[in-house]
Amino acid sequence: MRASLIQIAVDPDESVEARRQRAAFLVVAQRGSDLVVLPELWPVGAFAYTVFEEEAEPLQGPTHEVMAKAAAEAGVWLHAGSFVERAPDGTLYNTTLVFAPDGGRSAVYRKIHRFGFDKGEAVMMGAGEELVTVALPQTTLGLATCYDLRFPEQFRGLVDAGAETLVVAAGWPERRRAHWTLLAQARAVENQAYVLAVGTAGTHADIPQAGHSIVVDPWGEVLAEAGSDEEIVTVEFDPAKVGATREQFPALKDRRLGLAPPS
């Protein structure tokens, strides 16, 4: 399976519409990949709280339209990162869209864990409530966004729902980059799954971004890692390694806590 992680830079001097079109161009350029992944809140910047209200879109707004078209043109599964969604009741959400190779929408995930410690995203946005997986022909994706990476119980839930490849779209700050790498590897090892974690480059609202998008295999080995600038990381990996790893080292079978009681 071939996956391309687009570590797009968010430049405050570039308009949202211009970045949408540029992101679409970059997606289409990955024709030949099976899966393409964009980062968190790339249209506006993950820390650009002051423009969330202004730039919020309905679910089937301009980002949905442009990304659906790009997925179809490239013929790829597209995890379109996330954008600021305005729900019909006015609530804002940090929302991920996944599109099939024909451009049809396959999944919607609203970020469960909101970052900000009683400010920013934590008070401006509603919290998602549902774990979301997406069945591709080669593997089942489990979806998470940025701050979710710090909550292992979400990833356990995704694995219990069948996830074999955990996809994390993020706008992770440079000052905590060591945590980003550590947690991505930890989520891979403890769940015996691939982790595809893609961040942004550039600076959002004076917050330098970590970049360093990373692909980790079920043993915790780093298969590919970006630098700090805008970059596309493409990697080939074998989805069958998840099942083989879980069979060779069946740690997940020894779980005793957090399991549903027998019926």
Side-chain angles (χ1 to χ4, degrees):
M1 184 172 178
R2 183 181 178 93
S4 293
L5 281 57
I6 300 178
Q7 182 173 285
I8 196 167
V10 178
D11 182 344
D13 294 327
E14 181 182 39
S15 71
V16 170
E17 179 55 27
R19 190 154 46 253
R20 269 195 210 102
Q21 296 302 324
R22 188 163 66 84
F25 174 82
L26 293 172
V27 169
V28 173
Q30 308 318 305
R31 188 182 289 111
S33 289
D34 299 295
L35 172 66
V36 177
V37 187
L38 283 160
E40 179 189 28
L41 295 177
W42 56 267
V44 296
F47 289 89
Y49 305 133
T50 58
V51 301
F52 282 4
E53 280 282 352
E54 176 185 350
E55 298 292 350
E57 312 170 35
L59 186 66
Q60 292 186 256
T63 295
H64 186 293
E65 179 181 357
V66 170
M67 291 293 104
K69 182 178 178 182
E73 189 171 345
V76 299
W77 286 90
L78 174 60
H79 179 304
S82 72
F83 71 104
V84 182
E85 176 202 357
R86 188 186 304 279
D89 66 0
T91 303
L92 303 185
Y93 292 97
N94 187 336
T95 299
T96 287
L97 302 171
V98 178
F99 297 96
D102 64 0
R105 191 179 75 222
S106 294
V108 177
Y109 167 64
R110 288 171 167 172
K111 185 178 180 182
I112 292 173
H113 299 97
R114 298 160 298 168
F115 179 73
F117 309 114
D118 299 322
K119 61 183 179 181
E121 180 187 45
V123 295
M124 295 180 69
M125 291 183 159
E129 297 180 351
E130 296 182 3
L131 297 176
V132 177
T133 61
V134 187
L136 275 58
Q138 307 95 325
T139 188
T140 297
L141 307 182
L143 308 186
T145 304
C146 203
Y147 193 42
D148 288 337
L149 190 60
R150 293 185 179 273
F151 298 88
E153 61 272 19
Q154 177 168 342
F155 292 82
R156 275 289 200 249
L158 290 168
V159 168
D160 287 344
E164 300 165 320
T165 300
L166 304 167
V167 183
V168 184
W172 202 275
E174 166 60 30
R175 61 176 172 261
R176 289 187 289 275
R177 179 163 66 85
H179 292 186
W180 165 253
T181 305
L182 175 66
L183 291 168
Q185 290 183 274
R187 298 295 86 89
V189 171
E190 69 194 8
N191 294 296
Q192 298 181 308
Y194 284 99
V195 169
L196 279 57
V198 56
T200 49
T203 298
H204 309 173
D206 299 322
I207 306 294
Q209 296 298 285
H212 286 266
S213 299
I214 191 169
V215 178
V216 188
D217 81 359
W219 283 101
E221 297 294 325
V222 176
L223 302 184
E225 185 174 2
S228 57
D229 297 326
E230 181 163 302
E231 184 176 347
I232 297 173
V233 174
T234 297
V235 64
E236 295 193 6
F237 64 97
D238 181 7
K241 189 172 184 178
V242 173
T245 300
R246 292 175 181 177
E247 183 176 345
Q248 293 164 11
F249 194 83
L252 290 173
K253 294 181 181 179
D254 288 333
R255 293 168 58 195
R256 292 177 57 84
L257 303 177
L259 297 172
S263 56

